[in-house]
Amino acid sequence: DAKTTQPPSMDCAEGRAANLPCNHSTISGNEYVYWYRQIHSQGPQYIIHGLKNNETNEMASLIITEDRKSSTLILPHATLRDTAVYYCIVREGGANNLFFGTGTRLTVIP
Amino acid sequence: DVKVTQSSRYLVKRTGEKVFLECVQDMDHENMFWYRQDPGLGLRLIYFSYDVKMKEKGDIPEGYSVSREKKERFSLILESASTNQTSMYLCASSSDWTGNTEAFFGQGTRLTVV
């Protein structure tokens, strides 16, 4: 499985966009990029995923570079409830497991 | 609302005890997973199951076993609990992996072995 690299921590002002980067330089052609987040004392929550194209849903946007070696999760208007650890994962289609790293701890500041 | 339910939120057991952690999902998913989460180490996969009675080892299966007798239920077993198995345990489930589906997680069981 391809590995991901994320900064250990980031801060973001409330109401501003939070941009969380992820490097996955060894990603292969059939591997998807997934983002999850984990709010303190809860199980991880799915946010968004994509293969090649940029994706948007009600929670966030996912921007994947053309070479697919990195991606950015964007929370357009961060709130205090977005304070969490965010995990970037790459997973092969057909694979039965998810490999999590240590993620980025995002702190939204009032 | 989709749901993955873990039987206990907090559990305290003694060294050497046999411990069962239960997980039930109501989404008719084929795949179920057990992870443990420790500070600074992220989530590490212990075992997963892709069908009833089928199982595969993850990254850290030593000291654990699993059971999947019914599709909706996946049990993690610590045959003889040790203090280094004190951790947060997370169960997850997902439908058939095509790459285009997400996993749903339970709330976790915080196990303390004394």
Side-chain angles (χ1 to χ4, degrees):
Chain A
D1 291 83
K3 301 297 184 186
T4 62
T5 305
Q6 298 176 254
S9 63
M10 292 180 65
D11 292 340
C12 178
E14 188 178 15
R16 304 294 294 268
N19 296 282
L20 291 91
C22 179
N23 287 321
H24 30 80
S25 58
T26 60
I27 193 170
S28 60
N30 62 348
E31 286 183 311
Y32 287 75
V33 179
Y34 277 75
W35 283 84
Y36 283 77
R37 74 180 182 184
Q38 187 174 23
I39 295 169
H40 183 62
S41 298
Q42 298 183 20
Q45 176 192 23
Y46 166 82
I47 302 172
I48 198 167
H49 73 282
L51 184 61
K52 293 180 183 178
N53 300 321
N54 298 337
E55 302 287 344
T56 296
N57 63 20
E58 65 278 3
M59 288 182 70
S61 294
L62 174 60
I63 308 298
I64 303 174
T65 57
E66 193 169 341
D67 63 7
R68 301 207 329 120
K69 292 186 177 181
S70 65
S71 61
T72 301
L73 178 75
I74 301 172
L75 308 177
H77 304 287
T79 71
L80 299 178
R81 289 179 296 177
D82 291 324
T83 292
V85 177
Y86 287 78
Y87 296 96
C88 169
I89 301 157
V90 292
R91 190 179 66 74
E92 182 177 350
N96 284 321
N97 45 16
L98 281 172
F99 290 95
F100 284 74
T102 52
T104 296
R105 181 173 297 280
L106 174 69
T107 302
V108 180
I109 301 167
Chain B
D1 220 13
V2 295
K3 203 175 253 188
V4 177
T5 304
Q6 294 182 227
S7 53
S8 303
R9 202 76 166 96
Y10 299 94
L11 213 50
V12 180
K13 295 291 181 181
R14 295 195 179 278
T15 301
E17 274 193 80
K18 189 169 186 176
V19 181
F20 292 85
L21 301 183
E22 306 286 347
C23 176
V24 177
Q25 51 98 0
D26 63 1
M27 295 164 281
D28 200 34
H29 283 167
E30 287 81 8
N31 301 286
M32 297 188 75
F33 311 82
W34 275 106
Y35 292 85
R36 65 177 281 178
Q37 184 174 28
D38 302 285
L41 296 177
L43 277 74
R44 293 180 291 167
L45 182 65
I46 305 171
Y47 267 97
F48 66 96
S49 168
Y50 53 90
D51 202 351
V52 174
K53 297 191 187 294
M54 306 303 288
K55 61 185 178 185
E56 292 283 345
K57 293 179 180 179
D59 288 334
I60 50 164
E62 296 79 19
Y64 303 95
S65 62
V66 290
S67 172
R68 188 143 181 228
E69 297 296 320
K70 294 185 178 181
K71 192 176 186 181
E72 67 270 18
R73 187 179 297 269
F74 192 34
S75 302
L76 180 69
I77 303 156
L78 288 66
E79 294 290 341
S80 177
S82 63
T83 54
N84 64 12
Q85 292 178 311
T86 291
S87 186
M88 169 72 90
Y89 290 87
L90 290 158
C91 175
S93 75
S94 70
S95 59
D96 222 9
W97 276 132
T98 63
N100 209 20
T101 56
E102 69 263 35
F104 296 89
F105 283 82
Q107 290 292 84
T109 296
R110 187 165 294 280
L111 172 68
T112 302
V113 182
V114 298

